Amino acid sequence: MRQLLFIVLVCIFLPTTGAKAQVRCHYEAIDSTFIEELLKEGKTDMLYYARRFYGRYCVAHMPEIFPDEEQMVINTRQHDCTTFVELVAALTLCARHGETTFGQLVAQLQRIRYWDGICDGYTSRKHYFSDWIRDNSRLGIVTEVRQPNPPFTGIQTVKVNYMSKHTNDYLPLKLHPELVPAIVRQEKQLSGMQFRYIPTKQVVDSEEMRQAVHDGDIIAFVTNKPGLDVTHLALAVWHDSGLHMIHASSLRKKVTEETGSVRRYLERRSSCIGIRVIRLAE
């Protein structure tokens, strides 16, 4: 078994406070080497990087392997649906800015994953994806697509409390109940906000859909499950047969490009009611 590396890195990214961000980062040498090899290829396409992870394992709750002290986990061999999307986005951003080092990737990933781009404990992570979209939009990292109408005919009114009501599902909260009040505050701030989405019945192969959803866009699956806003993430890819996706699949236990369509995925899951669409900034 490879020896794991525990490394403290001072990131080069300057957050909005003007102070340098410092993050405790966990990875293996194989991860940093692979990332720098990818960045040297100079590609700027989300789907290019996504496909370089085909077959890599899908593992739930990847960032929470250190429940007593938040560390930014970077693992190119194992993903959950969120860490997969975040890593692909960070690689694409680095490439678009001409950044080729592992340290620069760490800085981009920290910006994406944590509030204001600063890793400062478990509650500094953007846990609910609606918050992830909001903060990363504010930072200029992504834009949420909400037009045209149709297909964006649905309006989601967010009401989240799943994390605070199911603390046993989150090891850091289970071991450290003193963190729960901060999560509750975040849930209250997010609840009541409204966002446009594409309902399942509108997810068809049409000119409107192809204009609204581009290859490489992040697809967030909207849910009616009590306490949650989004239940899964993927990257959009158009086939001749319609809209498909690349994702870290818990069913298939790996990163894969689905042969079935996004519409088919939605129809097989009664709690999924449609998709929100998020585009990485150029």
Side-chain angles (χ1 to χ4, degrees), residues 4-271:
L4 298 181
L5 300 178
F6 296 82
I7 300 177
V8 177
L9 295 176
V10 178
C11 297
I12 59 172
F13 172 70
L14 299 180
T16 54
T17 59
K20 285 187 178 181
Q22 192 175 50
V23 57
R24 186 175 295 274
C25 183
H26 170 79
Y27 62 95
E28 291 190 37
I30 192 173
D31 300 313
S32 58
T33 299
F34 180 61
I35 283 170
E36 292 200 340
E37 288 174 352
L38 287 179
L39 290 175
K40 287 176 182 176
E41 295 173 10
K43 305 295 184 180
T44 59
D45 177 36
M46 287 273 281
L47 292 184
Y48 172 81
Y49 291 112
R51 286 170 171 146
R52 293 301 301 269
F53 292 98
Y54 280 176
R56 306 283 173 119
Y57 291 114
C58 177
V59 179
H61 300 290
M62 267 305 302
E64 298 180 3
I65 59 176
F66 299 103
D68 295 317
E69 181 185 11
E70 179 75 8
Q71 296 192 31
M72 194 169 73
V73 177
I74 302 177
N75 188 334
T76 62
R77 295 150 287 111
Q78 298 176 322
H79 308 271
D80 61 31
C81 69
T82 302
T83 59
F84 169 66
V85 166
E86 287 180 336
L87 184 55
V88 170
L91 284 163
T92 307
L93 285 171
C94 280
R96 290 178 181 177
H97 288 87
E99 298 171 348
T100 59
T101 70
F102 181 68
Q104 289 169 320
L105 182 282
V106 171
Q108 290 287 7
L109 189 57
Q110 183 182 201
R111 272 206 317 157
I112 291 169
R113 186 172 292 176
Y114 294 98
W115 285 101
D116 296 318
I118 301 172
C119 177
D120 185 22
Y122 182 73
T123 60
S124 69
R125 202 183 327 148
K126 305 166 190 175
H127 292 285
Y128 288 101
F129 199 66
S130 293
D131 274 337
W132 190 101
I133 299 169
R134 284 200 306 140
D135 196 54
N136 284 323
S137 296
R138 184 183 63 80
L139 294 174
I141 296 171
V142 301
T143 300
E144 181 165 12
V145 183
R146 301 180 184 181
Q147 295 291 337
N149 179 3
F152 287 91
T153 60
I155 298 178
Q156 177 191 30
T157 301
V158 172
K159 185 178 180 180
V160 292
N161 59 18
Y162 191 89
M163 290 184 70
S164 62
K165 297 295 184 183
H166 300 82
T167 54
N168 285 344
D169 292 351
Y170 304 89
L171 190 55
L173 297 182
K174 181 179 179 180
L175 297 179
H176 299 281
E178 69 276 10
L179 299 176
V180 176
I183 295 295
V184 171
R185 287 193 294 272
Q186 292 175 7
E187 291 172 337
K188 289 181 177 179
Q189 290 172 357
L190 179 58
S191 293
M193 292 188 176
Q194 294 185 323
F195 305 96
R196 282 204 169 270
Y197 71 96
I198 304 175
T200 298
K201 66 180 180 180
Q202 296 282 353
V203 182
V204 295
D205 189 1
S206 66
E207 184 62 28
E208 290 82 5
M209 274 292 296
R210 287 183 179 262
Q211 289 180 1
V213 185
H214 297 174
D215 281 344
D217 283 349
I218 299 168
I219 300 173
F221 288 85
V222 179
T223 184
N224 59 16
K225 186 173 181 178
L228 287 174
D229 56 341
V230 166
T231 54
H232 190 54
L233 303 179
L235 297 175
V237 54
W238 283 98
H239 293 186
D240 290 343
S241 58
L243 182 62
H244 292 245
M245 64 182 178
I246 302 172
H247 66 146
S249 169
S250 58
L251 177 64
R252 305 186 192 283
K253 308 297 183 186
K254 63 182 180 180
V255 174
T256 186
E257 183 166 341
E258 291 291 346
T259 56
S261 68
V262 171
R263 173 65 176 262
R264 183 179 179 186
Y265 180 92
L266 287 163
E267 290 176 338
R268 290 184 171 185
R269 289 158 179 82
S270 59
S271 63

